[in-house]
Amino acid sequence: MKAVQKLMSVMRSAMEKYNMIQPGDRIAVGVSGGKDSVTLLAALCEMRRYYPVPYDLEAVTLDMGFGGAGYGELRELCRRLRVRYTVKETGIGPLIFETRKEENPCSLCARMRRGALHDTAKALSCNKIALGHHMDDAVETFYLNLFNGGRIGCFQPVTYLSRKDLTMIRPMALAFERDVIRASRKRRLPVVKSACPADGVTDRQKVKELIRTLEKDYDRLRVKTLGALQRAGVDGW
């Protein structure tokens, strides 16, 4: 279980460094069914046994309306983890791909998903939402913002949303994606394949592949990029 312990150790470092959790927090974990969100849920559930600050968890999945998605394995996982599981039905998928026929669907989809997740978390009386973004996601977001928008920026490890009175936290922000994968496989966690038509053909996937190529010549590029974000204090890093 070294892979699982390593991931939880890195998560604890991030949670303490960025003061992510306070006593009595009720945290909605966004569970898409992918390896990142499922691993985050399992790790946070296990960490409740020894983390010095008490917190409660709710697992939330947004049904995007693509059809054919089954959540039986996720529901069974939540039963074993002893955390309540909520599936919120949405019509986001058909709206974006069939009604609006968006050529660049990811941005609108992300905004709509965030809104649905925020509303569901509030309905469950949660004051925080935990998302499964890891270090690789942060680095990719940095370069996406640079290449596509010409700006220096990234998502934040902790973000307070004043309009919703919700705080977003990313406990895996300092973890490599490879460590998340290893922990997921070690725990044999169920993963639901994304039904999104744009899965794997996005700008993010292109940047991910570019970073892999660059690291052949520029060792530890991801670590250096994250270090630069932290030293510069960009977006709360």
Side-chain angles (χ1 to χ4, degrees), residues 134 182 199:
H134 42 64
R182 288 168 182 164
D199 186 46

Side-chain angles (χ1 to χ4, degrees), residues 135-144 146 152-154 176 211 214-215 218-234 237:
M135 188 206 304
D136 295 59
D137 289 321
V139 173
E140 290 158 15
T141 299
F142 171 81
Y143 286 112
L144 276 168
L146 179 63
I152 302 296
C154 186
F176 285 107
I211 292 171
L214 288 172
E215 282 201 317
Y218 299 96
D219 187 44
R220 292 165 52 86
L221 177 63
R222 285 169 297 169
V223 173
K224 291 173 182 175
T225 302
L226 187 73
L229 286 171
Q230 292 176 320
R231 288 188 293 275
V234 174
W237 284 92

Side-chain angles (χ1 to χ4, degrees), residues 5 9 12 38 79 88 97 101 157 172 197 201 208 214 227:
Q5 293 169 349
S9 176
R12 180 166 181 167
V38 174
R79 186 194 67 77
K88 175 66 175 178
F97 289 97
K101 295 182 172 60
M172 298 197 304
V201 293
K208 181 189 289 289
L214 288 172

Side-chain angles (χ1 to χ4, degrees), residues 7-25:
L7 176 62
M8 290 194 295
S9 176
V10 175
M11 286 176 57
R12 180 166 181 167
S13 295
M15 290 157 67
E16 293 177 348
K17 178 179 178 66
Y18 296 109
N19 194 28
M20 292 186 182
I21 296 179
Q22 285 74 46
D25 277 348

